[in-house]
Amino acid sequence: MHIGHIPLTNRLFVAPMAGVTDRPFRRLCKALGAGYAVSEMVTSRRDLWNSLKTSRRANHDGEPGPIAVQIAGTEAAMMAEAAVYNIERGAQIIDINMGCPAKKVCNKWAGSALMQDEALAVAIARAVVEACAPRGVPVTLKMRTGWCAGHRNAVALARQFEAVGVAMLTVHGRTREQGYSGAAEYDTVAAVKAAVRVPVVANGDVDSPEKARQALAATGADALMVGRAAQGRPWIFREIGHFLATGEHLAPPLVAELERLLLAHLDEHYSLYGAETGVRSARKHIAWYLRSLPGGEAFRQRINALDDCRAQHAAVAEYLRVLGGSMDRLPAPGRQAQHTTKTTEGSWA
């Protein structure tokens, strides 16, 4: 599969998630089977480009390509300028955010709120494409099925986005009104796929290898984007890829493998954010990794009381060392220990 002229290693993508898909997390997911990862959204406001938050989000040091940066905003000229700014800092693909349902974004008429104003949405897409095309940078766009149940306009917009040169479309199978509630409906994603010739990516509720297969069958999409299910389970990409290729499940990760993975993740996290911010922002990642493990909730409470990254790192190492003495592998999600589904041994370390 390609995005414009850029080849991808597979069709399993990491969704852009604010506060989650930073450089350490993107690198990790790519190492564990994701073929593509999009950054957290970067504002189009020039006055915020030099802020610490934006500079971290625009940091791609050591990240394997292709480098994809998502931009958000409400003015076509500003979005075009933001695209160029990020290209100059290493972006090889620019993604336009028209899918974020957060109130603080939509209240400013950015994100999925743009789907209510089709003329503005298309003007933004056109301006960004025109800014990127001379630089050989493809433009992609992520949207929802519509603003609300009575206003599903993803198909109409998809045709217009394709016409102005957008190279790939990702559709989250929910309206903005739904947020993340209810079940993702794949009918609209399938309708978008049928309406355009550019690649279409299905997003929403892909939380297992079986669900991935179901989503592909229901939508006919060219690729899948995984978001919340990858939090604390970045090896889901390898699991999905193996299942789609063979119909078999990989064995769950070894506890020893998780120890190496999580500690390395923490090291890179501290390096990006610094000790003071890093110890706080790492807490959510640790909680996601350990939430289903024995004593995970009690350990989360202990971690939340630690304000030193060295103490946090040491506590995680000790927890996993002790856990490894009582169990070899992590439990398989959604399957009982006595389940007889055939598995294939494999390491993701």
Side-chain angles (χ1 to χ4, degrees), residues 21-325:
T21 49
D22 53 18
R23 186 194 66 203
F25 188 77
R26 295 193 304 271
R27 280 169 48 91
L28 180 61
C29 290
K30 287 179 179 179
L32 296 175
Y36 178 65
V38 185
S39 76
E40 305 169 84
M41 61 183 176
V42 175
T43 180
S44 61
R45 287 178 51 185
R46 173 186 279 272
D47 60 309
L48 296 178
W49 288 349
N50 291 324
S51 69
L52 185 57
K53 177 185 287 188
T54 298
S55 65
R56 284 174 178 150
R57 290 184 175 186
N59 185 324
H60 311 290
D61 294 345
E63 182 177 356
I67 306 299
V69 175
Q70 186 181 79
I71 58 175
T74 60
E75 297 182 17
M78 287 176 62
M79 288 285 277
E81 189 177 14
V84 173
Y85 169 84
N86 283 283
I87 291 169
E88 290 173 347
R89 281 150 186 79
Q92 298 166 300
I93 298 169
I94 294 293
D95 184 67
I96 300 172
N97 182 331
M98 292 192 190
C100 180
K103 287 184 179 180
K104 67 180 181 180
V105 174
C106 290
N107 286 346
K108 297 178 182 178
W109 283 85
S112 55
L114 286 168
M115 297 186 72
Q116 296 178 95
D117 188 337
E118 291 189 12
L120 176 59
V122 174
I124 287 173
R126 180 186 293 109
V128 174
V129 168
E130 289 176 352
C132 293
R135 296 165 173 82
V137 173
V139 175
T140 64
L141 187 146
K142 187 172 189 284
M143 61 180 171
R144 293 214 160 206
T145 58
W147 178 255
C148 61
H151 191 230
R152 284 191 174 92
N153 59 340
V155 173
L157 277 170
R159 292 192 178 103
Q160 295 177 79
F161 292 146
E162 180 183 40
V164 300
V166 171
M168 185 182 77
L169 295 164
T170 299
V171 185
H172 185 128
R174 289 180 172 88
T175 64
R176 187 273 166 183
E177 184 180 59
Q178 284 180 272
Y180 296 99
S181 65
E185 49 94 4
Y186 294 139
D187 290 350
T188 303
V189 184
V192 170
K193 172 59 185 171
V196 299
R197 294 179 299 277
V198 296
V200 172
V201 184
N203 178 220
D205 291 354
V206 179
D207 58 3
S208 69
E210 291 87 352
K211 189 68 175 184
R213 183 170 62 184
Q214 176 191 342
L216 285 172
T219 64
D222 300 280
L224 292 173
M225 183 170 277
V226 180
R228 290 170 293 160
Q231 295 173 357
R233 190 184 165 197
W235 52 87
I236 190 173
F237 298 99
R238 187 163 185 161
E239 292 177 337
I240 290 173
H242 186 83
F243 183 78
L244 293 177
T246 67
E248 300 176 356
H249 287 281
L250 283 173
L254 294 164
V255 174
E257 295 168 335
L258 173 59
E259 180 180 359
R260 292 194 296 272
L261 170 71
L262 177 47
L263 295 180
H265 186 182
L266 290 177
D267 286 338
E268 187 169 353
H269 192 88
Y270 303 146
S271 177
L272 177 63
Y273 291 98
E276 183 175 350
T277 300
V279 71
R280 296 195 301 271
S281 57
R283 291 170 183 162
K284 61 179 177 287
H285 288 284
I286 296 169
W288 289 329
Y289 277 108
L290 307 182
R291 58 191 161 192
S292 63
L293 298 180
E297 175 58 25
F299 184 72
R300 182 189 68 82
Q301 295 178 21
R302 177 187 168 197
I303 282 292
N304 287 347
L306 298 177
D307 291 321
D308 179 81
C309 62
R310 288 172 296 182
Q312 185 184 71
H313 190 280
V316 170
E318 176 64 11
Y319 169 84
L320 291 172
R321 185 192 64 78
V322 172
L323 183 68

